[in-house]
Amino acid sequence: MTRASLNKQPHEVASMFDHVAERYDLTNDVLSLGQDRIWRKEVAKAVGARPAEKVLDLAAGTGTSSLPFAQAGAYVVPCDFSLGMLQVGKRRRNWLPYTAGDATRLPFKDDVFDAVTISFGLRNVQDTDAALREMHRVTRPSGRILICEFSHPTWTPFRTVYTEYLMRALPPVARAVSSNPDAYVYLAESIRDWPDQPALAGRLQDAGWTKVAWRNLTGGVVALHRGLKAS
């Protein structure tokens, strides 16, 4: 198994992430030139987790993204459908309640979580709209969603340079640091294929989320989308 296709068959995507799990965090740090750490800090601030709140962290991988919520005193559930990722995470942070789950069929009851977040994972779900509806289902009334995802740079000259980096520079860099470099070819293609900021906002609204808005990071390389579940 090397890479998934843009059809995003769940078993292919899960297997792909299983194969990159061991060095996934390091590879992301290198490929993003350290920007991923800044983005995760912005996610934590935007979610604003408070003590005793319940936070669902989808596509949590090894649990790196879940740590800020736990440190804020929230009860965070790292959830991912890659068993390889969860196994690496459990070995590193065995005190977190890792849960295996598919974003389109979440193993949780209705109206459970105060906040649901997903960072760099919604793009890899086969049915984006089903996942957004599921996240809405498991969020309590007045609860919130925060999506951090690669997006479309807003300045045209930069967007051209960025696209060239994704398709030309990223694969050779990945070959140097990743255990499965071909997986990062898929990731580059999936970023290029992803809807822009207004389009994703519209899909959030169609899934039932209200007060939807977004904020660009790094010139739109990444966007934070947020919304509320009506009370």
Side-chain angles (χ1 to χ4, degrees):
M1 172 64 201
T2 54
R3 54 175 291 198
S5 70
L6 289 182
N7 291 327
K8 302 176 187 176
Q9 295 297 319
H11 68 282
E12 291 182 355
V13 177
S15 178
M16 183 186 71
F17 280 103
D18 288 346
H19 283 75
V20 300
E22 198 65 49
R23 302 185 70 185
Y24 183 73
D25 293 327
L26 171 64
T27 304
N28 284 348
D29 206 23
V30 172
L31 294 178
S32 71
L33 307 178
Q35 290 293 301
D36 62 315
R37 300 184 187 187
I38 297 172
W39 297 334
R40 293 194 189 283
K41 287 181 181 177
E42 292 299 322
V43 169
K45 286 194 291 186
V47 172
R50 296 183 291 274
E53 282 194 323
K54 295 178 181 178
V55 177
L56 175 61
D57 185 19
L58 289 175
T62 62
T64 299
S65 59
S66 302
L67 289 177
F69 310 126
Q71 291 164 353
Y75 176 77
V76 58
V77 178
C79 182
D80 203 293
F81 72 168
S82 165
L83 296 181
M85 284 285 199
L86 295 175
Q87 287 166 358
V88 171
K90 196 68 176 176
R91 197 167 67 242
R92 294 176 182 173
R93 308 174 183 98
N94 62 7
W95 48 275
L96 285 172
Y98 291 94
T99 302
D102 185 331
T104 63
R105 296 185 301 276
L106 292 172
F108 307 106
K109 295 180 179 179
D110 297 356
D111 306 330
V112 172
F113 295 97
D114 297 285
V116 177
T117 183
I118 182 169
S119 293
F120 308 111
L122 187 60
R123 192 183 74 257
N124 300 314
V125 177
Q126 185 180 37
D127 190 337
T128 302
D129 299 317
L132 292 174
R133 290 192 299 269
E134 272 291 271
M135 286 185 262
H136 187 270
R137 178 184 66 78
V138 302
T139 302
R140 67 165 179 79
S142 300
R144 58 205 186 274
I145 187 173
L146 193 288
I147 297 169
C148 177
E149 189 53 88
F150 288 109
S151 197
H152 293 239
T154 54
W155 188 43
T156 302
F158 177 58
R159 183 164 62 243
T160 301
V161 171
Y162 173 66
T163 303
E164 287 294 309
Y165 168 74
L166 281 177
M167 302 313 298
R168 295 189 181 185
L170 188 148
V173 173
R175 278 194 292 274
V177 296
S178 173
S179 56
N180 183 10
D182 284 343
Y184 287 86
V185 177
Y186 155 79
L187 292 174
E189 291 174 346
S190 68
I191 291 169
R192 188 175 60 176
D193 192 56
W194 187 244
D196 65 12
Q197 292 88 325
L200 181 55
R203 294 172 85 158
L204 274 159
Q205 291 169 333
D206 290 344
W209 296 98
T210 64
K211 297 184 179 179
V212 174
W214 72 85
R215 176 163 62 92
N216 291 318
L217 303 178
T218 318
V221 168
V222 165
L224 302 182
H225 281 73
R226 66 180 184 273
L228 295 176
K229 181 171 179 176
S231 57

